[in-house]
Amino acid sequence: MKNKLVVEIFRNIAEILEIKNENVFRIRAYQRAADTIEGLAEDIENFVAQDRLSQIPGIGADLSAKIKEIVSTNKLEFYQELKHSIPEGLLELLNIPSVGPRTAGLLYEHLKIKGIADLERSLAEGKLVGLPGIKEKTIENIRKGIEFVKRGRERMTFAVARQTAADFVRALQDLKEVEEVVPAGSLRRCRETVRDIDLLVVSQKPEKVMEVFTGL
């Protein structure tokens, strides 16, 4: 079921477009499409196979073509190009609570902040003070948000680990060389927090599996 993949890509597109201060109606089109597909009870692949994408509210010809590409290739060329149009670290900033796409775009425009390390330095040097829309409370929230993200890098919640593992398991299960793939370690034991995600893969051609895995 590739609904989640389509939703994730469309939401990321909307965020990047918002960072770039693109047309608000275009941004909302991707956001609405993501929300609608997330709420579908049916597999998006069925809509593609039966040529029924136009039945989904808000899905026109352009978005239909993009959905078909995602379903058939597990990626979207437009999304890849869009990601390369901004510094990679800008998307990392969106992991910080209270930093949305507009704030990330603002920080890059005024201070050339390209990631969390840049943001930490700018905070220490007081450079965020006086930026349009950035108040003292906002600065304090960003500072707390950075600490929250840094703590999260040490260990993640079981829910986050399970979802992350599921993305890799799904991708590996699509390989004909993979006989079985299952979570292991603390994730398998359902620990409350997880430091590392361990996956056990059974295959007669491990080189091919590793090649694909490291490319995910």
Side-chain angles (χ1 to χ4, degrees):
M1 191 169 184
K2 297 187 178 180
N3 298 41
K4 180 180 180 298
L5 178 61
V6 175
V7 169
E8 179 183 352
I9 290 177
F10 278 8
R11 286 208 170 123
N12 288 346
I13 287 174
E15 288 179 342
I16 295 173
L17 292 176
E18 194 168 354
I19 287 174
K20 292 166 65 71
N21 199 26
E22 296 277 352
N23 184 287
V24 65
F25 296 105
R26 192 180 183 201
I27 295 169
R28 287 176 181 169
Y30 281 102
Q31 291 171 335
R32 285 196 296 266
D35 290 342
T36 300
I37 294 170
E38 186 175 44
L40 289 177
E42 188 176 352
D43 195 327
I44 194 70
E45 292 178 272
N46 293 339
F47 286 89
V48 172
Q50 298 165 15
D51 197 23
R52 292 191 290 119
L53 285 174
S54 60
Q55 296 178 7
I56 303 176
I59 304 299
D62 179 61
L63 292 181
S64 290
K66 288 181 170 62
I67 292 172
K68 291 176 182 176
E69 182 180 341
I70 295 170
V71 168
S72 63
T73 68
N74 289 321
K75 61 182 180 180
L76 180 63
E77 188 64 30
F78 170 71
Y79 173 47
Q80 299 301 318
E81 294 174 356
L82 199 60
K83 283 199 296 185
H84 292 147
S85 70
I86 64 170
E88 183 177 354
L90 279 185
L91 291 178
E92 182 187 32
L93 292 179
L94 302 184
N95 294 323
I96 302 172
S98 79
V99 176
R102 290 187 183 278
T103 301
L106 178 76
L107 294 172
Y108 178 67
E109 178 185 356
H110 289 270
L111 299 176
K112 299 304 176 187
I113 291 174
K114 301 178 182 179
I116 291 179
D118 288 346
L119 182 53
E120 281 191 288
R121 283 193 295 271
S122 294
L123 278 169
E125 296 168 3
K127 292 182 178 180
L128 271 66
V129 177
L131 286 181
I134 302 294
K135 300 178 181 179
E136 185 176 338
K137 182 63 175 177
T138 306
I139 294 173
E140 181 59 27
N141 287 339
I142 291 175
R143 184 175 286 109
K144 291 179 180 177
I146 290 175
E147 291 303 315
F148 176 82
V149 170
K150 290 169 70 174
R151 288 197 302 272
R153 284 174 173 169
E154 297 175 1
R155 296 192 71 88
M156 68 193 89
T157 65
F158 171 76
V160 170
R162 179 177 58 183
Q163 184 58 64
T164 303
D167 292 338
F168 281 91
V169 168
R170 183 168 52 250
L172 292 174
Q173 283 176 333
D174 290 339
L175 298 177
K176 65 179 183 298
E177 292 85 1
V178 171
E179 299 172 23
E180 186 177 6
V181 53
V182 294
S186 55
L187 181 59
R188 180 185 61 80
R189 294 191 294 271
C190 300
R191 296 291 297 273
E192 184 176 343
T193 62
V194 176
R195 181 182 296 277
D196 303 309
I197 295 175
D198 301 304
L199 298 179
L200 176 63
V201 180
V202 179
S203 174
Q204 300 303 315
K205 296 183 178 180
E207 296 83 4
K208 175 61 178 178
V209 178
M210 285 301 297
E211 178 185 347
V212 173
F213 174 78
T214 55
L216 290 174

